[in-house]
Amino acid sequence: MLTDCTYFTGELSLPAIKEDSGKTGSDAVMEKLKNRELNAFIEKYERQFLELLFGESFTDSFYSGLNLPDDDPEKEKWTALKNELCIKRELSKESPIACYVYRFYLIYLRDNTTSTGVKKSKATFADNVSDTRKLVSSWNNMVGFNKKFMNRFIKNDTYKSYTDGHIPDRDLLTPINSMNL
């Protein structure tokens, strides 16, 4: 996977998701379960994002290229592409992939499946508010990132032979509003 739980901070923060908080007991178990749950979403939606952006064939080449031995000269171009999509700064990390995963994970968190059906939890001493603002903001951040990335990517001849003429999914380049329009 290109991203992990460390990309879900700041505007993309998620409850109980920490790389390793040092918690013990039931808190540590809950943290581990939440991280595993998020990793399952990353595994599914990261690949989906890449296939929508690059196409299935290119995505396969991308993952294969990243798994090449470090001394293989071909690996460098795939690592460079990964570094364009997954930016690591001193205090934070950013990726359109994380924004894409965040959308689906946040929608998933809206309700819980239990043995007695699907439930929406009621918070004590708090009011539930709509997550629409966060969903719209993260999606539009992803769109802005994708547009800048695609402008650089299209000008780069390094990957042309892998694209098979694939056109990125229009939704990945289209901002939305609170009505998902």
Side-chain angles (χ1 to χ4, degrees), residues 151-177:
N151 283 335
R152 290 188 310 271
F153 179 76
I154 289 169
K155 295 173 186 170
N156 189 337
D157 291 336
T158 306
Y159 308 100
K160 283 210 191 308
S161 63
Y162 298 95
T163 61
D164 295 332
H166 175 79
I167 297 170
D169 186 275
R170 188 179 75 197
D171 288 343
L172 295 181
L173 302 169
T174 305
I176 60 172
N177 60 31

Side-chain angles (χ1 to χ4, degrees), residues 47-63:
R47 180 158 191 99
Q48 185 180 81
F49 172 85
L50 293 172
E51 287 179 356
L52 290 170
L53 191 65
F54 297 130
E56 188 175 342
S57 175
F58 186 99
T59 299
D60 289 341
S61 297
F62 185 25
Y63 280 122

